[in-house]
Amino acid sequence: ELWQRFPGRGTLGADEKESIMISSYPQCNDAYKNIAVEESMEVTKKVISSCRSLRASYQITNKTLTKFYIKAGENVDAIKSQSDDVKTLGKASSVDVNIEESKIPKTVGIDIIDDQTTVLMDIKGLVDFDAEIKKLEKNLGK
C-alpha cells in the first residue's frame, strides 16, 4: 500500500506500525490550528457555493465562464485573498470585489449570503430574459 512507501517511514522507532490499518488514528495538534484562516475559508466556501448556486439557477453550463461581482463588508480581505479560488471553483472569467456601484452592470443575478456579503453574476447574453420572467411569474403563482 502507498502508506508503507511514504518518505519518513521507518523513523518512528518501535511505536511505528507495519500498516496504516493497525495504526492509531491521528490526533489533532492544537498548535496547528489557526482560527482566522478557518474563518476565512468558511467565508470563501460560502461565496463559492453562492456562485455555483447562481449558475445553477440560471442553468449556465460549466463550460461558460461568467463574471462575478462581490460586495463584502468585514470579510473583504478574506474574499480578496481567496479570489483565485473563487474564480476557479465558481467557474468565473473574473471576480471583482467591492468595485464601484457604477461599474456593476444592471444585468446581474443576485444572491445574498448574509447581511454583509452579496454575490452578483453578470447574465447578459447568457439568459433569455423573457423566459426567465415567465418562469418567475409561474413560481409566484404557486
Side-chain angles (χ1 to χ4, degrees):
E1 60 190 278
L2 287 176
W3 185 79
Q4 293 170 325
R5 294 187 181 104
F6 277 160
R9 290 274 303 134
T11 61
L12 299 177
D15 291 338
E16 187 170 345
K17 304 292 185 196
E18 286 186 36
S19 171
I20 195 170
M21 297 300 292
I22 57 175
S23 294
S24 60
Y25 195 79
Q27 299 297 311
C28 178
N29 185 344
D30 289 334
Y32 295 144
K33 286 187 177 182
N34 187 330
I35 301 301
V37 171
E38 289 180 24
E39 289 172 356
S40 171
M41 200 63 204
E42 283 303 314
V43 170
T44 303
K45 286 171 33 181
K46 288 179 183 176
V47 169
I48 292 168
S49 176
S50 176
C51 292
R52 290 178 172 185
S53 177
L54 274 170
R55 293 177 63 85
S57 68
Y58 290 104
Q59 299 170 349
I60 297 172
T61 63
N62 285 336
K63 292 189 297 185
T64 306
L65 300 180
T66 54
K67 186 167 180 117
F68 288 101
Y69 304 92
I70 302 170
K71 294 180 184 178
E74 65 184 38
N75 297 325
V76 67
D77 292 334
I79 295 169
K80 282 185 177 181
S81 69
Q82 300 291 329
S83 63
D84 285 340
D85 293 330
V86 173
K87 183 177 175 181
T88 301
L89 297 172
K91 306 290 186 196
S93 59
S94 66
V95 176
D96 293 325
V97 181
N98 283 359
I99 64 168
E100 294 176 31
E101 193 76 29
S102 62
K103 293 184 179 179
I104 298 175
K106 302 295 181 207
T107 55
V108 292
I110 300 172
D111 188 32
I112 299 171
I113 296 175
D114 57 34
D115 62 335
Q116 295 186 14
T117 313
T118 304
V119 175
L120 302 97
M121 178 180 67
D122 190 4
I123 56 176
K124 185 176 183 179
L126 301 174
V127 174
D128 179 2
F129 289 108
D130 293 331
E132 193 66 28
I133 290 170
K134 287 179 184 176
K135 181 177 98 175
L136 293 172
E137 286 174 346
K138 182 180 175 185
N139 286 343
L140 282 175
K142 288 184 178 180

